[in-house]
Amino acid sequence: MKILVTGAAGFIGMHASLSLLARGDEVVGIDNLNDYYDPQLKLDRLAALTPHERFRFVKLDVADRAGIERLFAEEQFDRVIHLAAQAGVRYSLINPHAYAESNLVGFLNILEGCRHNKVGHLVYASSSSVYGGNARMPFSEHDSVDHPVSLYAATKKANELMAHTYSHLYGLPTTGLRFFTVYGPWGRPDMALFLFVKAVLEGRSIDVFNHGKMRRDFTYIDDIVEGVIRTLDHVATPDDAFDAQNPDPARSTAPFRVFNIGNNDPVELMEFIAAIEKSLGVEAKKNFLPIQDGDVPATFADTSELNAWTGFAPATSVQDGVGRFVAWYRDYYKV
């Protein structure tokens, strides 16, 4: 198939593109290469993709309406994996307009491109952050997610609503994937694992929020990509059992689906830090702080729906995943 991967120079986008190429697909990757974090890391990710003869890169912002229209019309994609977005919960408190432009306007442009060019399936990145103020664990796709606690989360919930509209009106099959704390080699520098490893190796203290009383469903990148591609291959279909009298947020009479992708095994933050210390052979100096605005104390994914739909369940342990990241970090930065 010919597949568009947006955000191809990003963490998940690079890994997803490599997996698609490995199985024989043609991949067109787009990215705006912005400076939200070090663009060199993005260029180096692209350098891992460009030797493949079935990969082409186009520098393009998803918020560029005319550019996206031209791309879809010229390429006639079979399927689309939409990962481009303004990421980060905390940054949304500082620069909210970036989230509206990329996550709302950009997503609308992708939906329109899919609609007008008969794309067979759109798989897009949602986020565990949509669960916001929910306290019932594990988080289930069947629960209401109407209480976001950050603008980033609100834009991701909006993406799910926008996708449903296009599935309903135009029969466009769409699947949203709620990612839970993705980590691994080539990860984002604004994520905890990257920040912690960098600080420890430089002899600096690490900031431990909520005084360490956080739990996260850390999910290794290979598991995320396996879930993305299996979902891509299982095209969303209407649910004939959908009950409009008791509507299920994850189902519809339209070809629309939403799934969690998490490790289904939340880990205490202090246990995660211990895995880092073990991999590095160094004890971290810790600076304990209150929880940050927009953050949540715990995440925990119920992945039974993903498993039932695709037959896949993530299973990489934190110790193994952290060890692989540390090995990559040391090699990449020569430390």
Side-chain angles (χ1 to χ4, degrees):
M1 293 184 291
K2 181 190 278 191
I3 298 171
L4 170 64
V5 177
T6 73
F11 173 32
I12 302 173
M14 168 205 164
H15 285 279
S17 297
L18 285 171
S19 289
L20 292 168
L21 291 165
R23 73 176 197 172
D25 291 315
E26 178 183 352
V27 177
V28 176
I30 68 170
D31 203 293
N32 66 0
L33 301 175
N34 67 31
D35 61 358
Y36 170 63
Y37 60 80
D38 183 9
Q40 187 59 51
L41 183 59
K42 300 178 183 183
L43 293 173
D44 290 341
R45 292 189 189 121
L46 278 180
L49 293 169
T50 47
H52 292 267
E53 60 181 18
R54 282 175 283 99
F55 177 81
R56 285 186 297 112
F57 175 69
V58 179
K59 186 178 180 182
L60 181 62
D61 193 316
V62 291
D64 178 350
R65 178 177 171 183
I68 293 294
E69 287 176 353
R70 280 194 304 272
L71 181 76
F72 272 86
E74 291 169 1
E75 298 290 349
Q76 294 299 304
F77 301 109
D78 297 303
R79 294 183 185 176
V80 173
I81 298 176
H82 177 56
L83 301 169
Q86 178 57 61
V89 168
R90 290 159 193 165
Y91 187 62
S92 68
L93 307 179
I94 302 167
N95 189 5
H97 292 284
Y99 291 77
E101 291 161 10
S102 182
N103 301 7
L104 299 178
V105 173
F107 190 61
L108 178 60
N109 291 339
I110 295 298
L111 286 169
E112 280 287 281
C114 291
R115 167 199 173 192
H116 290 293
N117 295 278
K118 304 294 186 282
V119 168
H121 191 196
L122 167 63
V123 173
Y124 62 94
S126 186
S127 168
S128 62
S129 67
V130 300
Y131 289 102
N134 288 22
R136 182 166 65 183
M137 300 283 175
F139 292 149
S140 168
E141 300 95 332
H142 306 295
D143 294 336
S144 166
V145 287
D146 290 335
H147 298 88
V149 296
S150 71
L151 183 66
Y152 171 70
T155 63
K156 288 298 184 179
K157 169 60 176 173
N159 287 170
E160 295 178 4
L161 296 172
M162 294 162 73
H164 182 270
T165 303
Y166 273 66
S167 295
H168 172 75
L169 290 174
Y170 310 114
L172 171 66
T174 67
T175 301
L177 298 174
R178 294 172 177 172
F179 296 143
F180 281 69
T181 316
V182 189
Y183 75 100
W186 295 98
R188 282 182 11 222
D190 62 324
M191 297 293 283
L193 177 56
F194 203 112
L195 293 169
F196 287 173
V197 169
K198 185 174 190 292
V200 170
L201 287 174
E202 292 175 356
R204 297 182 288 107
S205 62
I206 61 174
D207 288 337
V208 182
F209 293 101
N210 202 29
H211 305 284
K213 294 172 183 161
M214 306 279 271
R215 296 173 78 230
R216 285 289 181 272
D217 211 343
F218 294 101
T219 312
Y220 189 64
I221 182 61
D222 290 0
D223 290 331
I224 288 287
V225 168
E226 178 75 11
V228 168
I229 293 177
R230 287 209 195 190
T231 304
L232 184 73
D233 292 340
H234 287 74
V235 178
T237 57
D239 183 357
D240 294 334
F242 182 79
D243 180 3
Q245 296 291 329
N246 297 285
D248 182 336
R251 304 286 178 82
S252 176
T253 54
F256 165 88
R257 299 278 167 156
V258 173
F259 297 108
N260 292 331
I261 298 189
N263 211 44
N264 193 228
D265 184 22
V267 172
E268 299 284 346
L269 180 56
M270 297 309 295
E271 183 181 338
F272 189 68
I273 292 170
I276 296 171
E277 292 172 324
K278 182 177 179 181
S279 294
L280 290 173
V282 181
E283 184 176 350
K285 293 179 271 189
K286 304 168 187 73
N287 180 30
F288 292 96
L289 296 167
I291 194 168
Q292 289 192 303
D293 288 342
D295 216 342
V296 296
T299 63
F300 181 3
D302 178 345
T303 57
S304 57
E305 290 290 338
L306 177 71
N307 182 259
W309 188 252
T310 67
F312 176 68
T316 305
S317 72
V318 160
Q319 190 63 62
D320 286 346
V322 167
R324 292 172 202 168
F325 173 82
V326 168
W328 168 81
Y329 187 96
R330 284 189 179 280
D331 179 66
Y332 182 76
Y333 289 103
K334 310 303 179 194
V335 291

